[in-house]
Amino acid sequence: VSPVRLPTRMDEDYYWAKYDPTFTTRTVVRQWGSTSIDRLTSIAVQSDGNFFLSGNSLGTVEGLTRFGGVDSHIFAMSPANTMRWQVAIGTPGDENIVELGTWSGASHVQFFGTTNNIVFDRSAGLSDVFGGTIDANGALTSRKQLGTAGHDLARALAIRAGGSPILAGVTNGSFDGGAANGFDGFII
């Protein structure tokens, strides 16, 4: 497979491609973004072929609000590769969605990330983790921000059958009153 050569908007763009199961034939390529740095971070695919992409951008992406710092975006795509909806999450600080999740039969997507500002609730410390659920129409239906007095960094998200999320990350604070030296892992 030859490399994809597409015009760039500036530094880095959002980019995704679909291949056949053997990775020999590329069937779809899509590239878009701002005039700054745009990076896709996660993909979640549903059994009906709909899929979601998350990314983080330092610029203004067409059709989305620019909040400042690094903003996070979630894009819902159809099986025909058209965009169904897009959502921006941000503050004047930095938000970084690191993981998306969905499960069989779900019509929505869950997300998990890190912020150095107040995204939803209150800031607990230097950086917090945040997450939420976006429904089939692109509406935010649940959200949570939590953390310690230190740095809390999102790393992974898994979804149990029925939709309960499992969140994993690292912290140099204390979620439950005890902490080792340096950064420790956490599972919520």
Side-chain angles (χ1 to χ4, degrees):
V1 176
S2 63
V4 177
R5 303 229 188 278
L6 297 172
T8 181
R9 288 179 173 64
M10 180 106 172
D11 293 323
E12 298 174 23
D13 289 337
Y14 289 143
Y15 163 88
W16 64 268
K18 279 188 180 178
Y19 288 83
D20 69 353
T22 62
F23 282 93
T24 55
T25 305
R26 187 176 47 247
T27 59
V28 178
V29 174
R30 179 141 185 208
Q31 180 178 1
W32 76 105
S34 70
T35 57
S36 191
I37 296 172
D38 313 301
R39 294 180 178 156
L40 290 177
T41 57
S42 186
I43 300 172
V45 180
Q46 296 179 318
S47 58
D48 63 3
N50 287 311
F51 62 102
F52 303 92
L53 305 164
S54 67
N56 303 304
S57 177
L58 281 167
T60 302
V61 176
E62 184 179 346
L64 293 170
T65 300
R66 172 88 174 112
F67 295 99
V70 176
D71 294 335
S72 289
H73 302 135
I74 299 174
F75 306 95
M77 308 298 291
S78 75
N81 309 309
T82 58
M83 194 172 303
R84 296 176 18 233
W85 50 258
Q86 54 186 356
V87 171
I89 298 171
T91 70
D94 295 336
E95 285 66 50
N96 291 285
I97 291 178
V98 298
E99 192 79 58
L100 293 175
T102 188
W103 64 96
S104 180
S107 61
H108 55 275
V109 64
Q110 293 179 326
F111 60 91
F112 183 45
T114 301
T115 182
N116 63 4
N117 212 310
I118 299 172
V119 178
F120 299 133
D121 301 316
R122 60 171 177 77
S123 177
L126 300 172
S127 61
D128 296 335
V129 295
F130 69 95
T133 303
I134 298 177
D135 72 13
N137 299 313
L140 186 65
T141 59
S142 67
R143 61 184 183 265
K144 184 72 176 172
Q145 180 172 340
L146 61 129
T148 69
H151 288 287
D152 311 302
L153 307 172
R155 291 292 185 247
L157 165 71
I159 309 295
R160 296 180 184 114
S164 298
I166 301 170
L167 312 173
V170 295
T171 182
N172 67 353
S174 174
F175 273 104
D176 292 320
N181 292 325
F183 278 87
D184 298 322
F186 68 82
I187 299 174
I188 300 173

